[in-house]
Amino acid sequence: MAQVKIVVDSTSDIPRNLAEGLDITVVPLTVHFGDREYVDWLELAPLEFYDLLETSPHHPYTSPPTPEAFAEVYERLLADGSPVLSLHISGGLSETVRQAEAGKALVGRGEIEIIDSRVVSMACGLPAIVAARAAAGGAGLPELVSLVRGFLERTSLFFAVDTLDYLVRNGRIGRAQAILGTLLAIKPVLTIVDGLVAPYEKVRGEKKIIPRMVEIMGQMLGSGKAGETAIVHAACLDKAIALREAVCAAFGVKDLILCDLGAVVGTHSGPGTVGMVFEKV
């Protein structure tokens, strides 16, 4: 029986070497600066994007893959009889999952299961990684769908942004609209609720962000332990390393993934964003 193939979009922010090593197919979104467009991760690496964000006269916007792009990927992966599990950014934040559904309809054959993760970045990337490992071990499509859905239910995402301006500009502010206009000293900690960006709490002062995020993680874990964990950042490696060290020290996490927020997610979160994704086990 052919191995199940795992597909994600580039907003999953899975490091490219890890995606390649696990045979995860990444369908990229596009980032636009004026009349210039770049394929996420392939033509515009994260650091290049954040440099361009500072120097370009144009504020970027993003667009999802076309149904035809998804159909081409699905046709290729189905060719040897492999089933496909396609996992994507929240439909409340992007049209990507609906484009994937349209691509599936164009193909009209084979086993293709599409999941709206209702989250973003490595909150979508981690379950894809777990699924890819299980697929390599021989797990079938129904088992993988159950695995991913269960993982998503056990996973939390929290991120702190330097400013809400980028979320506002790109129409992704969601329920965090409620904390606009707060004092400059206030740093919002955000999460995803029902597939949309939502406020979690307001922290006074930059220096309190990392300790408070560790406290939040502890509260969410309760009597449980941290399973798969990732730290993500937008051109603020120092903050990401500090958060990684604090999380590892507090919860005994060993195999933690530290990675960049790609250009698409960074367009909406802005530079200086640091986040954590963790599974409760």
Side-chain angles (χ1 to χ4, degrees):
M1 184 175 179
Q3 179 178 320
V4 178
K5 304 297 186 183
I6 308 300
V7 176
V8 296
D9 59 78
S10 60
T11 68
S12 65
D13 291 331
I14 300 172
R16 289 187 64 187
N17 62 336
L18 186 54
E20 291 170 359
L22 292 170
D23 196 25
I24 298 173
T25 300
V26 181
V27 184
L29 280 75
T30 302
V31 181
H32 306 260
F33 280 90
D35 59 358
R36 294 288 304 274
E37 60 181 50
Y38 303 87
V39 178
D40 191 23
W41 285 92
L42 298 179
E43 296 179 344
L44 193 60
L47 289 180
E48 295 172 326
F49 164 74
Y50 293 109
D51 286 341
L52 191 56
L53 191 61
E54 290 186 0
T55 60
S56 174
H58 303 287
H59 184 75
Y61 66 95
T62 62
S63 59
T66 63
E68 289 76 15
F70 277 112
E72 181 180 351
V73 167
Y74 296 152
E75 289 280 11
R76 174 168 54 82
L77 297 178
L78 290 168
D80 64 356
S82 298
V84 173
L85 175 57
S86 200
L87 177 62
H88 300 290
I89 180 177
S90 170
L93 299 174
S94 172
E95 289 291 317
T96 298
V97 71
R98 286 177 281 279
Q99 299 291 79
E101 291 282 6
K104 174 182 175 179
L106 289 176
V107 173
R109 68 178 184 86
E111 291 184 88
I112 304 172
E113 185 74 31
I114 296 174
I115 296 178
D116 179 346
S117 73
R118 296 176 67 77
V119 285
V120 67
S121 189
M122 283 297 285
C124 180
L126 284 181
I129 290 169
V130 170
R133 291 172 180 157
L141 186 58
E143 181 182 349
L144 291 177
V145 170
S146 178
L147 176 68
V148 166
R149 294 195 186 282
F151 189 98
L152 289 168
E153 289 178 0
R154 298 189 304 273
T155 302
S156 298
L157 163 64
F158 294 94
F159 59 103
V161 296
D162 266 358
T163 173
L164 293 171
D165 290 349
Y166 291 89
L167 287 165
V168 173
R169 289 180 191 176
N170 294 288
R172 302 304 195 280
I173 188 67
R175 296 175 183 175
Q177 180 84 28
I179 56 175
L180 284 175
T182 55
L183 298 176
L184 291 176
I186 298 297
K187 296 296 182 181
V189 176
L190 307 173
T191 187
I192 302 288
V193 176
D194 296 330
L196 299 173
V197 175
Y200 187 76
E201 71 175 48
K202 294 174 284 187
V203 177
R204 187 177 294 277
E206 178 75 26
K207 292 182 179 179
K208 295 182 179 179
I209 286 289
I210 300 302
R212 181 58 189 138
M213 290 183 76
V214 174
E215 289 176 356
I216 291 170
M217 183 170 175
Q219 291 167 356
M220 297 300 296
L221 290 175
S223 59
K225 297 181 180 180
E228 299 285 344
T229 304
I231 302 297
V232 297
H233 72 97
C236 57
L237 182 59
D238 53 342
K239 285 197 287 189
I241 290 173
L243 181 56
R244 177 184 65 183
E245 292 176 349
V247 164
C248 289
F251 307 109
V253 177
K254 295 181 180 180
D255 298 323
L256 182 153
I257 298 173
L258 189 153
C259 58
D260 296 290
L261 287 172
V264 169
V265 178
T267 292
H268 305 299
S269 69
T273 298
V274 63
M276 59 184 185
V277 178
F278 54 92
E279 174 199 16
K280 178 179 177 179
V281 296

